[in-house]
Amino acid sequence: MRILHIGTDSFGGYGGIALYNRELIAAMASHPEVDEVVVIPRIIVGECEPLPKKVTFVSAAARGRLAFLRAVRGAGSGFDLVVCAHVNLLPVARLVTKHPLLMLYGIEAWKPLRDPISNRLLRGVRGVISISDITRERFTGWSHYDGPSQLLPNSIRAEWYGIRPKNLALAARYKLEGKRVLMTLGRVVAAERYKGFDEVLEVLPHLDADVSYIIAGGGNDVPRLQRKAINLGVADRVIFTGLFPEEEKADLYNLADVYVMPSRGEGFGFVFLEALACGVPVIASRLDGGCEAVLGGQLGQLVDPTNPAEIRLAIIDALASAKRIPEGLAYFSYENFERRTHAIIDGLA
Amino acid sequence: MCGIAALFAYGSAAAPVDAAEIESITEWMRPRGPDAGGTWISPDARVALGSRRLAIIDLSDEGTQPMTDVDGELRIVFNGEIYNYRELRARLQRLGARFHSTTDTEVLLQLYRHDGAAMVELLRGMFSFAIWDPRERRMFVARDPYGIKPLYIADDGETFRAASTVKALLAGGRISREHDPAGVAGFWLMGSVPEPHTIFKSIRAVEAGTSFFVNERGVESARRYYSIAGILGRGVHDEAAARLVQPNVLLRELVTDSLRHHLIADVPVGAFLSSGIDSSALVSLATEAVNEPPRTVTLRFEEFAGAAFDEAPLAERFAREIGSDHVTRLVTRDEFMADMPKLFDAMDQPTIDGTNTWFVSKAAAERGLKVAISGLGGDELFGSYPSFAALPRIVSAARLPFAASVAARIGRSPKAKAAAQYGATWEGAYLLKRGLFLPDDLPSLMGVEAAREGLEQLGILKHIAGTIDPDPGTPFGRVAALEASLYMRNQLLRDTDWASMAHSLEVRTPLVDATLLRQIAPLLMVEKSRCKQHFAESPPTQLPDWLSKRRKTGFSVPLAEWMQLPPDGTSTRMRSWARRVMEQWA
């Protein structure tokens, strides 16, 4: 069996979708019936991770739009399965097949697509794989897609994380010695003002004075949030890390006593799995995919992001909780992800 | 759903609470809770609690009130439903709380123990309750954000009294029946008595969305924990969240979530079905949520046969299409005349509305239903009243130069002539649009001196303006806050309460839900009155055009024909009906 994966980014990519695709490609390639997975990426921003066996990575495709189109067209038609790993790439996938398998992650699939051609091409897809049920429901709600669909939530390599002592140098850098720490990690950009940073900032004045808040990530909305923190009188309790090196991430999570992200725009919320893998109690949103990342409340607390009192009381409860890695996190192990991926391939065959 | 009562003789000079008084108050509310009742008096006779229960969740005796917690310490009387009680209970159990029942009532006790006064902000539902905390020697009193469930209080400086109805408090025999000129003036102006006033001087309504303590020093200031205007105003700043999801899909998701919560019951839940979008969409979404259409009820009046506002034929057609077990109930003038004494007896305060709910509740109760879903609140939420278009026009026009002289010259009705006097502010425009009478009419209705006193105490324009403070920020938001905080709260919800409880029926309103409002406020502020059409498109099978494109009609009854009301300058002759109603309180 030969599989063609047409995606925005995977190996050499940055962020949640790239990570998800790397895991997906690896899991597809490990299927015993799969002979080759050809991967055509639109973007490569960094050094590529080692490729799994049976994966052919067409790095030349990332040189530009034309190169990408040429690579897809040049891939030919000898594939048993074409994975269109982003809904915006449906017209490109159409160059090689009328019936791709479509991947859905989050907000890109919550509303009709800007491009009317893509909306039309949806009718021909062979199936839909969604990272979460909420994304699937919102997608089918507007598209009226009624073909086959499967869920394939993120996976976490828990062994890469773990409960660690607080990194004292990091704590000193951010002046967090002796503090209880809340944390949210994500892009801090004006176009994504649904991450929950504002909501946590607004309850901070109503929490004990020894509670600080790390906003881990950079972006063009940082100045606004800094002004907001000043207006709320909590500027000395809020840390903006800006962009941070990937290798600091696990230590950052381990600085936190509570990971809280009362968001409204997460397709799933891989960050919750990372925090849980560090033993940090998490607070997720009832109104987006975060709810599914904590298994409907089994792995962490759920709050209505529009209710400040609920957020505040959940934080107080979570601050009183001990750090531990919940057994249920195994539901999202890579082994389970791989098993689910193989079942999807078997189902298609 | 129940009737509750509480007495607290907090003052050092107060006489001990009287068992006969709490019994009388509680007994008056028997129709609100025919399934069980009880009273409790503290060992020192300073506190008394009473309850009549309509059993809907946990039908066992464990749900009987007044209820105590597992430690036998805190005590509560509670009227209403907490729709998220299962989630709250799970959280409390995780935190170590113990329970002796599966009721929502007991969840309130444990929530109070764990979170204190902040507990009210975690509740999804309709409620009024009083919790006696003997350790702190104080009573905690709260009412739901929209004011779905009523609660009235009287405080004479020594003893605090509370009950679910005004008439129940009076039945205790210790409260003056002297009329409140402000309450009377409010009725003539708006057609219902605006809270916190009541028709009686000694009785006040606990304001919606507030809570307070009563301790041995007296009644503390109330804390407002929910503001409709504030929530709508915040929605303006959450535009990014509003634009994430297709509007009809988001509405489907959030309203279905509200519906699922409102369908929680240990008894069958039916629905009122009109020929409008709100009730039809709700019935359709409820059918999807529980895989079975609810039993539905519609009223029919011979006087309306063939008219555009005869809802029965279209409701029947829709019921057939979705396969609901439907009943169209004919109401005649003879039945109305026979019911009128009972209707006025149940009417807790003067109001020009409620007859429609009286009969549809009666019909639902005849079907053996204890709970019915209603589409009430959809017009306020989705901006489908004419006022959403009219008020901004009135305000703009009245602010034009020479508006006063033009209105005086060409205005045909008293309201049109008064447009310049009142119309330049949102509160004045609202009074013009919704008012039954205008302030200048009151001396002839209630006497010169009483009118002057009533208008002064009521301060109607300031009262109306208070419902849009903080400013919701847009014309749509202002009208939505005005309608929800005034007409819906003081008239629709209050009338639904007394008219349904008289038939031991609990009416649930999934579109009047504080959680839902918080969640969809951003969408409302972006999509405004388009939300109604989005809502029509929200069920999995969209509502048919013959229903969703139909011109809006109200839920009216042929009172003018039945009562042969004289012309009064209004199409509905509601001014004449108001005079008849007020005669009952003479």
Side-chain angles (χ1 to χ4, degrees):
Chain A
M1 184 179 194
R2 292 184 74 228
I3 298 175
L4 175 64
H5 179 280
I6 302 168
T8 51
D9 49 354
S10 53
F11 297 95
Y14 179 79
I17 290 180
L19 172 68
Y20 183 88
N21 276 317
R22 288 198 294 274
E23 302 285 53
L24 175 68
I25 291 160
M28 289 192 300
S30 72
H31 191 287
E33 301 295 320
V34 171
D35 303 305
E36 184 186 21
V37 181
V38 176
V39 178
I40 301 183
R42 171 73 184 81
I43 305 163
I44 299 174
V45 292
E47 198 174 325
C48 284
E49 297 79 1
L51 295 176
K53 283 180 188 166
K54 300 192 274 186
V55 172
T56 304
F57 189 63
V58 187
S59 56
R63 285 185 194 140
R65 190 171 296 177
L66 277 176
F68 181 62
L69 292 172
R70 265 201 304 272
V72 172
R73 189 184 285 273
S77 56
F79 293 96
D80 303 289
L81 173 65
V82 176
V83 177
C84 178
H86 198 286
V87 72
N88 290 345
L89 298 179
L90 274 171
V92 180
R94 178 66 183 80
L95 296 174
V96 285
T97 181
K98 287 181 184 171
H99 309 296
L101 180 69
L102 177 64
M103 307 300 301
L104 304 177
Y105 310 99
I107 58 171
E108 85 284 354
W110 291 359
K111 282 175 79 169
L113 313 170
R114 281 192 201 144
D115 167 21
I117 296 171
S118 298
N119 284 317
R120 258 206 317 279
L121 292 173
L122 286 172
R123 294 180 206 144
V125 300
R126 177 175 182 175
V128 161
I129 307 297
S130 176
I131 201 166
S132 60
D133 197 39
I134 195 165
T135 289
R136 178 167 64 178
E137 288 293 313
R138 289 176 172 180
F139 170 74
T140 54
W142 65 260
S143 67
H144 306 294
Y145 170 81
D146 61 356
S149 64
Q150 300 278 342
L151 289 184
L152 185 61
N154 273 92
S155 70
I156 179 86
R157 310 263 190 166
E159 65 277 14
W160 295 356
Y161 299 86
I163 301 176
R164 301 178 192 170
K166 290 195 176 186
N167 180 323
L168 297 179
L170 208 55
R173 187 201 301 169
Y174 296 131
K175 299 186 175 62
L176 289 171
E177 300 99 330
K179 305 285 189 190
R180 291 183 291 166
V181 179
L182 314 177
M183 176 175 159
T184 311
L185 186 150
R187 297 202 316 149
V188 193
V189 293
E192 295 181 17
R193 262 182 213 166
Y194 42 75
K195 287 278 183 187
F197 299 122
D198 286 88
E199 285 75 3
V200 180
L201 274 181
E202 285 164 22
V203 301
L204 200 56
H206 307 289
L207 296 169
D208 291 343
D210 69 330
V211 176
S212 294
Y213 179 38
I214 297 178
I215 293 179
N220 62 12
D221 212 24
V222 168
R224 184 188 67 83
L225 290 172
Q226 283 172 328
R227 282 195 302 277
K228 184 165 188 165
I230 291 168
N231 292 338
L232 290 167
V234 293
D236 58 336
R237 296 163 62 187
V238 183
I239 294 98
F240 294 87
T241 66
L243 291 173
F244 56 86
E246 185 70 16
E247 54 272 21
E248 266 186 13
K249 193 159 70 171
D251 277 344
L252 263 176
Y253 279 118
N254 273 288
L255 271 188
D257 296 289
V258 174
Y259 186 86
V260 51
M261 193 162 79
S263 52
R264 274 174 278 186
E266 290 298 311
F268 180 80
F270 178 66
V271 283
F272 291 112
L273 303 189
E274 292 187 303
L276 286 165
C278 295
V280 181
V282 305
I283 298 170
S285 165
R286 271 200 195 92
L287 298 186
D288 67 10
C291 179
E292 292 169 61
V294 299
L295 292 178
Q298 287 180 49
L299 306 182
Q301 292 190 70
L302 288 173
V303 293
D304 176 348
T306 67
N307 187 346
E310 207 177 327
I311 296 169
R312 180 174 63 82
L313 293 170
I315 289 172
I316 292 170
D317 291 350
L319 283 169
S321 309
K323 286 195 174 184
R324 68 179 186 88
I325 299 171
E327 283 178 19
L329 189 60
Y331 180 86
F332 297 111
S333 68
Y334 177 74
E335 290 69 30
N336 280 333
F337 180 86
E338 186 180 51
R339 187 178 48 74
R340 291 180 192 122
T341 305
H342 289 186
I344 288 168
I345 292 171
D346 292 341
L348 290 167
Chain B
M1 180 71 85
C2 305
I4 59 168
L7 307 177
F8 181 12
Y10 63 83
S12 54
V17 294
D18 178 7
E21 183 184 3
I22 194 76
E23 292 286 351
S24 300
I25 295 174
T26 306
E27 185 55 29
W28 178 270
M29 297 184 287
R30 181 176 279 270
R32 297 181 69 92
D35 296 332
T39 58
W40 171 83
I41 296 179
S42 64
D44 63 359
R46 307 310 289 177
V47 179
L49 300 175
S51 162
R52 291 297 319 179
R53 182 182 186 215
L54 181 67
I56 286 169
I57 291 174
D58 188 346
L59 309 183
S60 75
D61 290 345
E62 288 294 319
T64 302
Q65 299 181 32
M67 183 186 283
T68 180
D69 62 351
V70 281
D71 301 320
E73 190 181 56
L74 300 171
R75 272 174 209 274
I76 186 171
V77 281
F78 157 54
N79 170 28
E81 302 292 348
I82 305 301
Y83 300 121
N84 63 338
Y85 78 100
R86 289 174 182 159
E87 294 104 294
L88 294 171
R89 183 187 163 98
R91 168 180 172 252
L92 290 163
Q93 282 180 317
R94 219 171 40 239
L95 296 167
R98 293 175 299 127
F99 294 87
H100 62 73
S101 74
T102 55
T103 61
D104 49 352
T105 311
E106 197 184 359
V107 169
L108 292 176
L109 285 170
Q110 291 298 338
L111 207 56
Y112 171 80
R113 187 177 287 288
H114 192 268
D115 298 311
M119 65 175 285
V120 288
E121 293 167 70
L122 301 181
L123 302 177
R124 181 172 201 171
M126 51 179 181
F127 55 85
S128 59
F129 61 81
I131 294 175
W132 171 241
D133 181 344
R135 197 177 297 176
E136 300 290 333
R137 293 208 56 77
R138 64 185 184 178
M139 187 175 279
F140 181 58
V141 179
R143 190 171 173 218
D144 66 70
Y146 269 105
I148 304 172
K149 288 292 102 190
L151 190 63
Y152 297 95
I153 57 172
D155 176 24
D156 61 12
E158 293 291 332
T159 298
F160 168 82
R161 294 173 168 85
S164 295
T165 71
V166 168
K167 287 182 174 176
L169 274 177
L170 293 174
R174 303 289 180 96
I175 293 174
S176 158
R177 291 172 181 265
E178 186 187 349
H179 276 185
D180 179 1
V184 176
F187 168 71
W188 289 121
L189 291 174
M190 306 305 296
S192 58
V193 181
E195 72 171 41
H197 298 281
T198 73
I199 199 74
F200 300 107
K201 215 170 213 167
S202 307
I203 303 176
R204 308 275 288 180
V206 174
E207 291 193 54
T210 66
S211 66
F212 58 88
F213 285 100
V214 188
N215 58 31
E216 290 179 327
R217 292 182 301 281
V219 181
E220 290 186 353
S221 299
R223 178 177 79 95
R224 178 166 298 287
Y225 66 88
Y226 193 98
S227 154
I228 291 171
I231 295 294
L232 290 166
R234 191 184 162 94
V236 177
H237 304 294
D238 278 342
E239 203 177 310
R243 296 192 187 281
L244 283 172
V245 186
Q246 179 83 344
N248 64 321
V249 176
L250 185 62
L251 279 172
R252 175 180 173 181
E253 196 176 286
L254 296 177
V255 174
T256 299
D257 181 54
S258 178
L259 252 174
R260 280 186 204 282
H261 281 89
H262 282 76
L263 289 169
I264 292 173
D266 294 327
V267 295
V269 180
F272 299 159
L273 183 63
S274 71
S275 54
I277 288 173
D278 298 326
S279 67
S280 306
L282 280 180
V283 166
S284 185
L285 290 169
T287 303
E288 190 205 19
V290 296
N291 294 321
E292 187 185 6
R295 280 186 270 173
T296 49
V297 184
T298 304
L299 295 185
R300 182 166 76 83
F301 308 97
E302 281 171 346
E303 292 80 357
F304 289 168
F309 38 89
D310 183 1
E311 303 198 306
L314 295 181
E316 284 169 5
R317 184 175 167 190
F318 182 71
R320 267 197 310 276
E321 289 193 6
I322 63 162
S324 77
D325 178 5
H326 183 73
V327 161
T328 299
R329 171 69 154 75
L330 176 69
V331 182
T332 64
R333 179 177 186 275
D334 287 348
E335 185 181 4
F336 170 71
M337 297 307 282
D339 273 14
M340 199 156 58
K342 287 181 279 185
L343 185 146
F344 278 129
D345 200 36
M347 189 183 284
D348 197 40
Q349 293 195 72
T351 170
I352 57 171
D353 210 342
T355 311
N356 43 12
T357 311
W358 170 274
F359 283 110
V360 77
S361 299
K362 185 179 177 184
E366 286 167 355
R367 298 205 66 191
L369 292 170
K370 258 185 164 178
V371 180
I373 294 289
S374 162
L376 193 160
D379 293 320
E380 290 79 358
L381 196 64
F382 302 132
S384 40
Y385 281 135
S387 56
F388 280 85
L391 255 64
R393 278 205 303 266
I394 293 172
V395 172
S396 301
R399 288 176 181 174
L400 292 172
F402 313 115
S405 57
V406 172
R409 201 173 310 146
I410 66 167
R412 280 180 293 182
S413 68
K415 278 190 174 181
K417 287 182 188 301
Q421 183 185 352
Y422 292 105
T425 64
W426 289 92
E427 55 271 25
Y430 187 78
L431 179 64
L432 277 177
K433 183 70 190 159
R434 277 287 184 200
L436 184 65
F437 290 97
L438 289 174
D440 288 349
D441 300 320
L442 265 54
S444 65
L445 292 162
M446 55 189 291
V448 174
E449 186 51 31
R452 187 196 59 74
E453 192 185 344
L455 287 169
E456 191 177 303
Q457 288 174 13
L458 179 62
I460 187 68
L461 293 178
K462 195 174 167 197
H463 175 84
I464 296 172
T467 64
I468 47 173
D469 181 18
D471 183 5
T474 66
F476 178 90
R478 288 179 199 122
V479 183
L482 287 164
E483 293 288 22
S485 311
L486 294 163
Y487 175 61
M488 186 173 86
R489 176 175 301 157
N490 294 322
Q491 195 154 313
L492 296 183
L493 290 172
R494 189 185 300 157
D495 293 342
T496 296
D497 181 75
W498 66 258
S500 60
M501 291 315 300
H503 300 287
S504 304
L505 180 83
E506 176 173 292
V507 175
R508 294 182 175 183
T509 52
L511 299 178
V512 185
D513 181 84
T515 302
L516 176 68
L517 180 68
R518 271 200 321 262
Q519 293 172 348
I520 68 167
L523 181 70
L524 296 177
M525 302 312 268
V526 168
E527 292 293 316
K528 305 182 182 73
S529 293
R530 289 189 295 274
C531 279
K532 190 69 152 201
Q533 195 54 37
H534 294 317
F535 187 48
E537 292 164 4
S538 68
T541 308
Q542 290 181 13
L543 299 184
D545 280 355
W546 55 262
L547 197 152
S548 65
K549 307 280 189 220
R550 179 176 168 263
R551 196 160 163 264
K552 178 174 171 50
T553 56
F555 179 22
S556 53
V557 293
L559 271 176
E561 292 87 340
W562 286 343
M563 296 293 293
Q564 294 168 346
L565 297 170
D568 60 7
T570 67
S571 58
T572 54
R573 303 193 179 177
M574 279 296 112
R575 290 179 184 154
S576 298
W577 175 239
R579 287 188 168 91
R580 298 283 178 94
V581 169
M582 203 56 194
E583 286 167 9
Q584 308 299 315
W585 269 266

